[in-house]
Amino acid sequence: MQVTWNAINCADFSYSNSPFDNSPNITTFTFGDQVEHIPAYLCYGMDKLTQVTIPESVTSIGNYAFQHCSALTQVTIGNSVTNIGEGAFYDCSALTQVTIGNGVTSIGDLAFYNCSALTQVTIPNSVTSIGHYAFYGCSALAEMTVLATVPPTVGGDAFYNVSRSIPVYVPAEALEDYQAAAVWKEFNLQAMPANALQTPSMPESIRVYGGLLHNPQQLPVSLYDMQGRMVYSGTAATVSQPAGVYVVRCAGASSKVLF
């Protein structure tokens, strides 16, 4: 069952009065391109929901909006979102990949609490704070990339049960700051190649989702790994790569992407 939500500036709900309480079979949830706010508890407990499309019009994700969406595997948060609400993806236990847009400044308390299948996360350079318990119990995390040149503040137990031996890639010029910063200094910090920080505008048709780079206009594209090695160059409509962080170059622009 597929649902499209078009309400603009809708007030938040509570866990007991979501408009979809009686729709347990929703698998795909799409937001209209005029929606600015995803209300609190909107998709609470949709345990068959696997896909969510969040358009660029959305600026905030309400508290516990997707709590207990236990079949949700992948989320892309658009660049217009500035705040990920408290518990927004709480206990989304099948979530393996999340892409956080470049406009997010704060990741709320409990935002990805117990997302125990999450293997990778990239925190954009706009983020200044990560809330208490934000990634608590994300025990499958194998690597993180943090693009902020000023280490974000980190709330208590934000990375509880996340291995401190995993690589955490940070801007080369900020490596010493991270090595001195609370919580971050506990991780296996590694400097990113300088070319990973180039962020000119990428053609809008170039997207990474579903584990693939989608290039419907078949533009010339190059992919580089985090060691700066070219791993792909061509014009294929779809490109697959092993899971990880890459730099994609197209039409003179560069951007980090997550497979």
Side-chain angles (χ1 to χ4, degrees):
M1 179 179 177
Q2 180 171 343
V3 168
T4 299
W5 174 262
N6 289 306
I8 302 173
N9 296 326
C10 183
D12 288 345
F13 300 101
S14 72
Y15 73 92
S16 61
N17 72 344
S18 166
F20 301 105
D21 275 348
N22 297 315
S23 304
N25 295 317
I26 295 173
T27 59
T28 303
F29 203 102
T30 302
F31 293 90
D33 59 10
Q34 300 300 310
V35 175
E36 298 175 2
H37 172 61
I38 297 177
Y41 294 99
L42 181 67
C43 299
Y44 177 95
M46 290 186 182
D47 59 5
K48 293 182 175 62
L49 181 66
T50 60
Q51 299 180 40
V52 174
T53 301
I54 301 177
E56 290 294 326
S57 60
V58 172
T59 60
S60 62
I61 301 173
N63 295 346
Y64 303 98
F66 299 96
Q67 182 179 1
H68 298 321
C69 291
S70 57
L72 188 62
T73 59
Q74 183 174 344
V75 171
T76 299
I77 299 171
N79 292 326
S80 297
V81 173
T82 60
N83 177 60
I84 300 173
E86 177 179 316
F89 299 95
Y90 187 109
D91 203 27
C92 290
S93 55
L95 186 64
T96 59
Q97 181 176 324
V98 60
T99 301
I100 300 174
N102 292 326
V104 172
T105 60
S106 63
I107 298 173
D109 295 349
L110 303 156
F112 297 97
Y113 183 99
N114 203 33
C115 290
S116 55
L118 187 64
T119 57
Q120 298 165 331
V121 66
T122 296
I123 297 171
N125 58 12
S126 53
V127 170
T128 60
S129 66
I130 298 172
H132 299 287
Y133 312 108
F135 293 93
Y136 184 108
C138 294
S139 55
L141 270 176
E143 68 175 44
M144 289 191 289
T145 299
V146 189
L147 299 179
T149 53
V150 176
T153 60
V154 180
D157 284 333
F159 295 104
Y160 180 85
N161 208 26
V162 175
S163 172
R164 295 313 197 248
S165 66
I166 67 171
V168 175
Y169 299 100
V170 300
E173 69 271 28
L175 179 60
E176 291 186 0
D177 292 334
Y178 278 86
Q179 290 171 334
V183 181
W184 297 115
K185 65 183 179 182
E186 301 171 8
F187 284 98
N188 175 19
L189 297 167
Q190 299 185 27
M192 287 186 297
N195 60 11
L197 298 178
Q198 299 175 9
T199 56
S201 297
M202 180 65 55
E204 292 185 1
S205 61
I206 303 295
R207 300 277 183 174
V208 174
Y209 57 90
L212 296 171
L213 183 144
H214 295 261
N215 179 19
Q217 296 180 337
Q218 296 187 293
L219 302 171
V221 168
S222 298
L223 280 171
Y224 298 81
D225 65 17
M226 294 306 293
Q227 286 71 50
R229 298 171 299 203
M230 181 184 288
V231 296
Y232 172 81
S233 181
T235 59
T238 58
V239 180
S240 64
Q241 287 294 322
V245 180
Y246 296 84
V247 175
V248 59
R249 291 183 178 175
C250 181
S254 300
S255 181
K256 284 182 81 275
V257 294
L258 183 66
F259 278 83

